[in-house]
């Protein structure tokens, strides 16, 4: 179903490109991109924020101004056979070719640019969950589905840091539910009875609130502080009730089961301070309870998507005070 070929780029390098040979909806601008320079120009045209983005292979990124560390990154990338800065594949399975690219936006970044036809594109950033972590990504396939296999150097204690004895960790990501999340071959299928979500304050304008939803979609929302659609607008405060619409509710339940929430850790934490904390509590399977405490709110890619949906419910539902 897929053809593989290699093209020489304008920089004298080569890029492996994956192109589906069974596209159903015709070619778009992404299909015509055949070099790093063309990919770079395309990204810069999407948004003024990307005007200085440079397309670069993971192994060529100069992260620390340390010759040794940069050499290590090159060694890791070569060992993983990561020899391209961009790939093309239909990540969202909508019949259009999408673009996967490593680049220098905000340090080292990984973009998946999804393609909706008619020059309509969305940039999705695969973020790093810790400081000083460079991701080494490559594209693999499972049952015809393009997946992102991410590798990184395992965290070490700062007092014992030794780049001569590094270990690599990895995880498989998939573009699903309009986001990049962990790939799961065997999702759960639990009847979820109740969802409770709480977010704390932080040292900035972090919205603090409580949200509770039961299996009949009845919901309670307590806006504690800093609940605004955007900065500068009036703050929402107090207690509210509504029935969550079936579209948003079913999506939330589907994602939770896809993540196999019951198998996730009970606690996550970023490696910095002064951030926001949250508690997610799920009652399922006739009274079982799963509690997840997440300092930083990015414990997993999938949980980050869940949190985003819960945050959005504050403003995309018709709440009654």
């Amino acid at each position: 179903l897929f053809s593989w070929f290699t093209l020489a780029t304008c920089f004298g390098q080569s890029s492996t490109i994956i192109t589906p040979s069974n596209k159903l909806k015709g070619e778009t601008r992404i299909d015509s991109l055949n070099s790093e320079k063309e990919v770079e120009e395309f990204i810069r045209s999407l948004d003024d924020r990307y005007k200085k983005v440079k397309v670069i292979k993971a192994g060529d990124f100069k992260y620390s101004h340390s010759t040794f560390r940069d050499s290590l990154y090159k060694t890791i990338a070569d060992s993983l056979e990561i020899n391209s800065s961009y790939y093309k594949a239909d990540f969202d399975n909508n019949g259009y070719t999408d673009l996967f690219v490593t680049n220098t936006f905000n340090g080292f970044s990984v973009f998946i640019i999804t393609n909706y036809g008619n020059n309509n594109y969305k940039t999705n950033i695969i973020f790093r969950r810790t400081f000083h972590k460079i991701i080494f990504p490559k594209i693999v396939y499972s049952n015809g589905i393009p997946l992102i296999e991410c590798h990184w150097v395992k965290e070490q204690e700062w007092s014992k840091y030794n780049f001569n004895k590094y270990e690599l960790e990895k995880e498989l990501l998939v573009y699903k539910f309009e986001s990049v999340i962990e790939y799961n071959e065997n999702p759960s299928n639990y009847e979820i009875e109740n969802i409770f979500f709480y977010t704390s304050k932080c040292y900035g304008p972090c919205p603090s609130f409580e949200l509770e939803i039961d299996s009949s979609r009845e919901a309670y929302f307590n806006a504690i502080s800093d609940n605004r659609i955007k900065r500068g607008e009036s703050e929402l405060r107090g207690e509210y009730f509504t029935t969550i619409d079936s579209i948003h509710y079913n999506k939330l339940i589907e994602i939770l089961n896809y993540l196999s929430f019951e198998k996730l850790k009970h606690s996550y934490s970023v490696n910095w301070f002064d951030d926001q904390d949250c508690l997610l509590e799920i009652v399922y399977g006739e009274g079982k309870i799963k509690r997840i405490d997440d300092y930083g709110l990015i414990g997993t890619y999938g949980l980050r998507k869940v949190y985003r949906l819960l945050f959005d419910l504050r403003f995309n539902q018709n709440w009654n005070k």
Side-chain angles (χ1 to χ4, degrees), residues 24-158:
L24 301 177
K25 298 182 179 179
E27 292 196 355
T28 63
R29 186 177 174 188
I30 286 180
D31 294 282
S32 67
L33 303 175
N34 291 321
S35 70
E36 287 184 348
K37 182 177 180 180
E38 290 178 2
V39 170
E40 198 170 272
E41 290 173 349
F42 169 70
I43 294 174
R44 292 179 178 184
S45 72
L46 296 178
D47 193 301
D48 286 341
R49 293 177 299 167
Y50 308 144
K51 289 298 183 183
K52 296 183 179 180
V53 159
K54 289 188 177 296
V55 174
I56 190 169
K57 298 180 180 68
D60 294 337
F61 184 71
K62 307 301 181 186
Y63 186 85
S64 61
H65 306 293
S66 163
T67 303
F68 173 75
R69 186 177 292 192
D70 292 340
S71 175
L72 173 65
Y73 292 159
K74 177 66 173 174
T75 299
I76 293 172
D78 288 346
S79 70
L80 296 170
E81 298 182 344
I82 298 174
N83 53 17
S84 179
S85 57
Y86 69 96
Y87 301 89
K88 300 177 187 178
D90 186 4
F91 289 98
D92 58 2
N93 194 33
N94 71 346
Y96 290 108
T97 305
D98 307 312
L99 183 65
F100 176 95
V101 58
T102 52
N103 61 86
T104 61
F105 177 70
N106 193 26
F108 179 79
S109 289
V110 182
F111 287 0
I112 291 181
I113 301 174
T114 46
N115 183 356
Y116 301 96
N118 298 318
N119 291 315
N120 183 12
Y121 304 100
K122 176 186 175 184
T123 302
N124 310 270
I125 301 176
I126 302 179
F127 62 95
R128 300 187 302 274
R129 288 200 293 266
T130 67
F131 287 139
H132 311 301
K133 179 183 288 185
I134 182 171
I135 300 172
F136 300 90
K138 60 191 299 185
I139 306 301
V140 297
Y141 278 85
S142 176
N143 299 319
I145 301 172
L147 304 176
I148 306 102
E149 184 180 276
C150 288
H151 303 255
W152 65 91
V153 176
K154 185 177 181 180
E155 291 292 320
Q156 303 178 40
E157 292 183 34
W158 283 108

Side-chain angles (χ1 to χ4, degrees), residues 165-224:
K165 296 182 179 179
Y166 68 88
E167 293 181 52
L168 290 181
E169 296 183 297
K170 76 172 182 179
E171 62 188 345
L172 280 178
L173 306 178
V174 63
Y175 190 85
K176 195 173 180 65
F177 304 113
E178 300 177 338
S179 188
V180 177
I181 64 175
E182 288 81 6
Y183 176 63
N184 189 358
E185 286 187 303
N186 300 296
S188 301
N189 188 29
Y190 283 108
E191 293 290 333
I192 293 178
E193 301 162 24
N194 188 273
I195 299 170
F196 174 77
F197 185 61
Y198 165 76
T199 64
S200 72
K201 298 178 182 179
C202 70
Y203 288 96
C206 297
S208 177
F209 64 96
E210 295 175 324
L211 183 65
E212 187 165 5
I213 310 168
D214 66 23
S215 57
S216 62
R217 297 187 281 115
E218 296 299 311
Y220 164 75
F221 168 41
N222 181 14
I224 301 171

Side-chain angles (χ1 to χ4, degrees), residues 176-179 181 184 187-188 192 248-261 301-303 305-307 309:
K176 195 173 180 65
F177 304 113
E178 300 177 338
S179 188
I181 64 175
N184 189 358
S188 301
I192 293 178
H248 285 88
Y249 178 80
N250 292 338
K251 185 176 183 180
L252 177 61
I253 299 301
E254 184 182 2
I255 293 176
L256 285 170
N257 271 314
Y258 181 83
L259 299 178
S260 293
F261 66 89
Y301 294 98
L303 280 174
K305 176 64 177 180
V306 169
Y307 302 153
L309 293 177

